[in-house]
Amino acid sequence: MRFSKMARGFLTGAGLLAIAACGNGDKQDDKSSKDDKGSSIEMPSKNPYPSTYSPYSSKTTLLTGATILTGTGDKIENGALLIVDGKIAGIGEKAPKLPKGVKKDDLVTIDVTGKTITPGIIDIHSHLGVYPSPGFASTSDGNEAVSPNTANVWAEHSVWPQDPGFTRALAGGITSLQILPGSANLFGGRTVTLKNVPARTVQDMKFPDAPYGMKMACGENPKRVYGNKGGPGTRMGNFAGYRAAWIEAREYKQKWDDYSQAVEDGKDDATMPSQNLKLETLAMALDGDLKVHMHCYRADEMVQVLDMAKEFGYEVASFQHAVEAYKVADYLAEAQTCAAVWADWWGFKLEAYDAVRENAAMISVPENSCTIIHSDSERDIQRLNQETAKAVADGAKLGIETPPEEAITWITANPAKSMGILDQTGTLEAGKMADIVVWDGDPFSVYTKAERVYIDGALMFDLNDATLSPRMDFEIGQQDNGPRGGAGQ
Amino acid sequence: MISPHILRKLFVAGFAGATAMISTALAETIVIENAEIHLTGQAGKIENGTIVMEDGRITAVGRLVNKPSGARVIDAKSAPVTPGFFAALSGVGLEEISLNGEGNDTRTDNDFPFSAALDARDALNPDSTIIPISRAGGVTRAYVTTAPSGKLLGGCGSVIDLSGTQEPVMAGCLAQNVVMGYDGARRAGDNKAGAFAKLRLYINEALRYARSPAAFRDSGTDSDLKYLDLAAFAPVARGELPMLVHVESAPDIRRLIKLKKEFGLKLILVSAREAWRVAPELAAEDIPVILNPMDNLPARFEAMGATLENAARLHEAGVTIAFFDSDIGYTHNVRLLPQLAGNAVANGLPYEAALAAISTNPAKIWGLEAQLGTIEPGKIGDLVIWDGDPLELSSRPVAVFINGQQTSLENRQSKLAERYKDLSKGDLPIAYRGR
């Protein structure tokens, strides 16, 4: 018996999903719209719960004197970074020039000599909000473990924005994160990508224009959960379940494609097919509009999943946990599928028995590989930098060198790529969102903390300013934990 | 010709015997020189120091020591040397796979009749792969215990060494594992008062039983505990053996302190996320706390005060602290003790105090401070040479000594990584490599 409050989500089937683009500008689609020909088309909304996130106010800020790990594989010593209007306006060895129209008087210059600047940290695998703190049955909303296929559920409908875990993650430098349903089911449901900004509603946290993802799960969890509940009860049952669903989704997609074509052709008698939430999500995956994130531990199963993806014509954006990825790093690189892993978790179930501490580094060896360190934990999301540091060190012992400028991509650019938001965040490049962490030392040291965390240029956390340490409602008016409270815990 | 099978048996028998006696004739004399030696007791940190180990024990430590002739001399090249790390609370050797029935003896089914009578020594698997994997991370000793399942009591634990011996138990049945707080309440009518009522009842019944088992039986008392459990709990009720109590909130901790005074109990607190709120009382009563310095979430109402500064605040008040992790770090990742300690330093705990929380203090809590926990003459030769700051994420052990002997750092994981380093097809399948 363990005494951890964690429901050990990964044991009961916490899992993950991917994100796929809906790319409709985060405005709620009208139920009906006019096409070119002026005929009225009834189409279900592709984005009925649109993002209402907007950045908080930011100052024109110049950070100088820092070591900058850009997330693009570069390192700049004694560099400078300029934030204007919530975006990165420039970065380099010399202070970037102020854009036209920006007044010099408005510029705040902060000397961060001796500190390190990195892109905001991105966790591709979190259950914050769906398995929040406090962890009671009444707040356990991460696994719709009632049927092996719940592609119809959306994690965002479970996310409790008041989870204090979001604030602790903020103090660890997390600026964006993907919330996934659990891994009890073959198809766990849709994921949601959030900006880590405290909000009243989940829509206020949704990352603008981030594609949706879908969580699927391999192996032990589905067969354990459904073995005595009608199946699947075996790994072959798992695959039969996936394939049957993809076949149905293919037919569903065809119906809708036919309908769209008929409408386009001006056929007034075209009948709209009935909307099916499960199949709609799966069809989006087949259309490439949604990213598939597959919880999978064993090497052999991952390669079979890649075959299945070819069979049905979709892409696997990532394998999650991927404890045995090191055995098939070549296959994963070939398929350009990311592997999101822990540094050193192992042995909590048999499919996690062959873990090696060198996994992440070994995944990174082949060309076109994509290594990600994830948390799947309300504790480790607070220190993905530390998890990365351990994984890098173990790789080095095996002769795989990963310099800091490359290691940082495992928790910034690579998860952003896999989640489909790399065009907006994940690296420090001019024009991107100013999602930035200033660390008070080497980000890969155990003694280092995130000192300043900017999201879209707004300073959301400051280690040295208790007024910039958010507290969630649950913590208000309760027994306190210290002078800073909230995030700065 | 002796078959390899027999040879291995002979080897195991010989090795086990030698270790049980803490090595005599077999023990190599080892000198580690040019070392940055931590936790040397009064002397503090010694730079460019030398350590001598003879017959399994440390015999000399300092800048100027005589090196015995015939010793194997290891140049530490200024690297840090610490005592072997000591998991103050774990399931090492009791669990191979958490979710597999066969691989997990840390707990029982909830309706299993026995509780306090469980003894970790009866389930311990010295062949667990977790032992060499943990050793490669610098962990040389662990307290291992069964844990409460359906009842408040979970049995007694022992301190083992991680050398790989078949006889790893160094000190047996050292404390009774007890759960209180919300987890205790769930085992006692879903009520914290129920848990306290039960614990008092158990104490009284165990005392009565110990005074006269026959009279107790004759009285027809309908106890939840079996006679074996009552017998096992009696030394705890008499205050001879500590209660290792899982508890979180400050009010619950205060109630336990009262109970301790009332019955003359010995207490060791576990988890205790709000212990910092009761720090002066804990220091005054000399009650140690085994905690996770990374617990900082209001996971329950009883943990609203959880903070990364729990360790630092307790230490400052003079409470003896040690670290543990109730999750994967309870078994498979006890090797992450340095990361726990490093994070405690990042949150205000002095460096040497953090090192002590994973070496000196566990030895003290388990009554083994005369033998373990510091690098001083007379102590058992449990040492680790590190390739950098022992608490830093990038550091790993270069050499691990247990009972004065150098141990292997090879393990199932290191072999798997080696085996898959090259994924090319080769002349034969991967299954033929690195066997």
Side-chain angles (χ1 to χ4, degrees):
Chain A
M1 177 74 203
R2 300 287 169 77
F3 297 87
S4 147
K5 84 97 196 159
M6 292 187 278
R8 293 250 247 166
F10 59 90
L11 294 182
T12 49
L16 48 97
L17 271 191
I19 299 187
C22 28
N24 43 14
D26 278 293
K27 289 192 186 111
Q28 184 156 18
D29 289 359
D30 262 324
K31 273 271 174 185
S32 58
S33 58
K34 301 273 182 183
D35 74 356
D36 300 349
K37 294 169 189 144
S39 62
S40 179
I41 306 170
E42 283 284 328
M43 295 291 268
S45 169
K46 278 193 171 177
N47 192 24
Y49 306 90
S51 167
T52 49
Y53 169 81
S54 63
Y56 280 82
S57 64
S58 65
K59 293 177 182 145
T60 301
T61 306
L62 180 66
L63 302 168
T64 62
T67 299
I68 304 179
L69 305 177
T70 62
T72 59
D74 291 332
K75 178 177 174 177
I76 303 169
E77 298 288 0
N78 193 20
L81 186 147
L82 178 65
I83 302 169
V84 178
D85 289 336
K87 304 275 189 206
I88 297 167
I91 177 172
E93 287 176 6
K94 288 181 189 162
K97 281 186 183 162
L98 280 182
K100 278 182 189 168
V102 178
K103 287 184 211 153
K104 223 176 177 180
D105 292 352
D106 293 340
L107 181 67
V108 180
T109 301
I110 304 173
D111 181 359
V112 289
T113 302
K115 303 178 197 293
T116 302
I117 297 176
T118 69
I121 307 304
I122 300 174
D123 190 358
I124 195 172
H125 196 131
S126 172
H127 300 294
L128 290 181
V130 301
Y131 285 120
S133 302
F136 295 121
S138 54
T139 57
S140 172
D141 288 318
N143 243 327
E144 184 68 4
V146 299
S147 159
N149 182 348
T150 60
N152 50 325
V153 306
W154 296 19
E156 65 201 76
H157 297 140
S158 274
V159 171
W160 182 43
Q162 294 292 343
D163 182 356
F166 286 117
T167 68
R168 309 305 196 268
L170 179 66
I174 298 287
T175 56
S176 302
L177 66 170
Q178 174 169 238
I179 311 299
L180 311 148
S183 57
N185 305 343
L186 301 177
F187 297 91
R190 279 198 206 186
T191 70
V192 64
T193 294
L194 304 177
K195 281 267 178 178
N196 192 19
V197 173
R200 289 182 295 161
T201 68
V202 73
Q203 293 93 321
D204 267 355
M205 299 176 78
K206 282 180 77 172
F207 195 108
D209 294 322
Y212 271 109
M214 179 175 68
K215 167 82 170 282
M216 291 178 64
C218 291
E220 284 187 28
N221 287 4
K223 77 189 205 96
R224 183 179 59 249
V225 174
Y226 296 103
N228 298 320
K229 288 200 266 179
T234 60
R235 284 184 166 82
M236 59 187 170
N238 288 351
F239 268 80
Y242 309 132
R243 296 175 76 205
W246 287 126
I247 290 166
E248 226 186 314
R250 196 161 57 187
E251 289 163 2
Y252 180 83
K253 173 174 141 52
Q254 191 60 53
K255 274 188 209 163
W256 279 92
D257 287 350
D258 291 349
Y259 173 66
S260 298
Q261 188 63 50
V263 170
E264 203 173 299
D265 295 346
K267 291 183 184 163
D268 289 343
D269 59 344
T271 312
M272 186 173 76
S274 59
Q275 190 183 1
N276 178 309
L277 289 176
K278 263 185 209 177
L279 294 172
E280 181 181 72
T281 293
L282 294 175
M284 279 174 72
L286 295 179
D287 274 332
D289 290 339
L290 169 152
K291 297 201 175 271
V292 177
H293 297 280
M294 186 110 194
H295 155 119
C296 224
Y297 285 76
R298 253 171 47 181
D300 53 324
E301 281 180 286
M302 285 188 261
V303 175
Q304 287 189 318
V305 167
L306 291 176
D307 274 356
M308 176 168 65
K310 270 189 210 153
E311 181 185 5
F312 293 100
Y314 69 93
E315 283 179 8
V316 183
S318 75
F319 285 111
Q320 296 288 322
H321 311 328
V323 155
E324 292 188 5
Y326 69 98
K327 297 184 184 179
V328 288
D330 47 353
Y331 284 89
L332 301 184
E334 169 76 26
Q336 300 205 20
T337 293
C338 299
V341 303
W342 295 290
D344 46 27
W345 288 21
W346 72 284
F348 39 89
K349 49 184 173 171
L350 200 59
E351 62 189 3
Y353 195 49
D354 282 7
V356 300
R357 298 184 93 169
E358 297 85 351
N359 194 23
M362 291 170 83
I363 292 163
S364 76
V365 170
E367 208 159 324
N368 294 322
S369 61
C370 172
T371 307
I372 297 170
I373 300 288
H374 70 359
S375 81
D376 191 18
S377 154
E378 68 276 31
R379 187 182 87 178
D380 290 353
I381 194 174
Q382 301 178 40
R383 42 188 76 82
L384 280 182
N385 55 319
Q386 294 188 15
E387 297 308 296
T388 304
K390 289 186 291 179
V392 166
D394 288 304
K397 306 279 185 272
L398 199 68
I400 304 166
E401 294 295 336
T402 311
E405 56 270 27
E406 199 178 310
I408 198 70
T409 66
W410 296 0
I411 49 176
T412 57
N414 289 0
K417 184 173 83 172
S418 187
M419 291 155 65
I421 54 173
L422 183 58
D423 55 334
Q424 301 191 73
T425 189
T427 63
L428 302 177
E429 293 176 278
K432 284 202 176 181
M433 293 167 167
D435 296 344
I436 292 163
V437 183
V438 180
W439 304 88
D440 67 4
D442 170 6
F444 298 116
S445 164
V446 75
Y447 309 117
T448 296
K449 287 184 169 179
E451 189 175 280
R452 305 166 73 87
V453 182
Y454 295 90
I455 300 181
D456 285 299
L459 184 59
M460 303 309 295
F461 176 76
D462 185 336
L463 185 62
N464 301 311
D465 181 352
T467 64
L468 286 176
S469 175
R471 283 182 208 220
M472 294 309 198
D473 291 353
F474 182 65
E475 300 176 274
I476 293 291
Q478 298 251 27
Q479 166 57 40
D480 209 344
N481 45 16
R484 281 200 307 272
Q489 260 329 278
Chain B
M1 183 180 162
I2 304 172
S3 77
H5 177 68
I6 301 284
L7 259 181
R8 196 158 54 114
K9 271 193 163 176
L10 286 173
F11 171 74
V12 166
F15 191 56
T19 308
M21 297 158 64
I22 301 202
S23 50
T24 49
L26 279 175
E28 186 183 18
T29 298
I30 295 172
V31 171
I32 301 169
E33 60 180 19
N34 196 17
E36 176 192 297
I37 312 171
H38 290 265
L39 299 178
T40 64
Q42 296 294 324
K45 185 168 86 172
I46 299 174
E47 309 270 2
N48 296 317
T50 299
I51 303 163
V52 180
M53 290 187 286
E54 295 172 281
D55 293 333
R57 293 204 179 248
I58 297 165
T59 52
V61 180
R63 294 195 67 149
L64 296 166
V65 300
N66 290 323
K67 294 173 203 165
S69 60
R72 178 156 69 100
V73 179
I74 298 168
D75 182 358
K77 296 175 184 160
S78 304
V81 177
T82 65
F85 290 154
F86 191 147
L89 173 57
S90 80
V92 171
L94 296 176
E95 176 182 303
E96 191 68 18
I97 301 286
S98 314
L99 220 54
N100 271 34
E102 193 219 323
N104 190 347
D105 294 324
T106 56
R107 56 181 183 244
T108 67
D109 291 340
N110 284 349
D111 57 359
F112 184 69
F114 293 101
S115 57
L118 297 174
D119 186 328
R121 288 173 294 188
D122 295 330
L124 191 64
N125 174 20
D127 297 326
S128 168
T129 63
I130 297 175
I131 290 174
I133 285 169
S134 305
R135 185 171 71 229
V139 182
T140 60
R141 305 272 159 176
Y143 179 77
V144 302
T145 182
T146 50
S149 299
K151 295 202 166 74
L152 292 182
L153 312 180
C156 71
S158 297
V159 170
I160 64 167
D161 82 46
L162 273 61
S163 66
T165 169
Q166 287 293 301
E167 298 290 345
V169 175
M170 176 190 190
C173 203
L174 299 178
Q176 181 62 227
N177 204 342
V178 180
V179 59
M180 295 295 281
Y182 174 60
D183 285 321
R186 288 197 298 181
R187 293 158 167 83
D190 207 13
N191 191 306
K192 285 187 180 177
F196 272 91
K198 268 202 174 190
L199 189 56
R200 286 168 171 282
L201 180 67
Y202 289 168
I203 292 168
N204 283 315
E205 286 179 348
L207 292 172
R208 276 177 53 214
Y209 180 83
R211 273 195 296 273
S212 168
F216 187 89
R217 286 191 195 106
D218 292 346
S219 73
T221 304
D222 183 22
S223 174
D224 312 347
L225 298 182
K226 296 281 183 189
Y227 297 137
L228 273 179
D229 294 324
L230 290 168
F233 197 54
V236 181
R238 287 195 298 263
E240 294 160 16
L241 212 60
M243 285 207 298
L244 182 68
V245 190
H246 299 253
V247 63
E248 302 292 358
S249 75
D252 274 341
I253 294 171
R254 289 197 188 92
R255 281 188 276 269
L256 281 167
I257 294 173
K258 277 184 194 152
L259 198 74
K260 170 189 189 280
K261 289 178 180 166
E262 182 183 341
F263 288 97
L265 305 171
K266 275 189 192 159
L267 292 185
I268 300 164
L269 302 188
V270 176
S271 196
R273 282 176 252 210
E274 290 195 347
W276 62 271
R277 294 176 58 197
V278 201
E281 294 94 319
L282 292 170
E285 289 294 320
D286 200 19
I287 299 172
V289 179
I290 301 174
L291 63 102
N292 183 337
M294 289 192 197
D295 273 337
N296 67 339
L297 282 160
R300 294 173 179 176
F301 288 107
E302 64 181 1
M304 292 306 301
T307 165
L308 295 173
E309 293 177 7
N310 197 15
R313 292 177 195 168
L314 286 168
H315 171 76
E316 199 178 342
V319 178
T320 300
I321 54 166
F323 298 149
F324 94 119
D325 177 0
S326 65
D327 208 279
I328 297 175
Y330 190 73
T331 47
H332 299 73
N333 274 349
V334 292
R335 62 188 175 180
L336 299 185
L337 283 172
Q339 191 183 5
L340 296 179
N343 276 276
V345 173
N347 291 284
L349 186 68
Y351 184 86
E352 294 288 317
L355 268 184
I358 55 175
S359 57
T360 317
N361 296 355
K364 192 173 152 195
I365 289 169
W366 297 119
L368 300 168
E369 68 268 40
Q371 306 204 65
L372 292 166
T374 59
I375 302 181
E376 291 179 274
K379 296 222 174 173
I380 292 172
D382 278 19
L383 304 177
V384 181
I385 306 177
W386 298 85
D387 62 5
D389 173 359
L391 301 188
E392 192 52 276
L393 302 159
S394 55
S395 302
R396 298 289 179 270
V398 177
V400 175
F401 302 85
I402 299 180
N403 294 321
Q405 300 299 294
Q406 189 164 0
T407 61
S408 167
L409 301 184
E410 191 175 68
N411 58 68
R412 189 167 181 277
Q413 294 193 349
S414 65
K415 290 179 77 138
L416 276 169
E418 229 13 90
R419 167 175 258 195
Y420 282 91
K421 217 173 143 180
D422 174 9
L423 294 173
S424 62
K425 193 165 182 187
D427 293 334
L428 280 169
I430 285 174
Y432 293 77
R433 298 178 202 165
R435 299 165 60 242

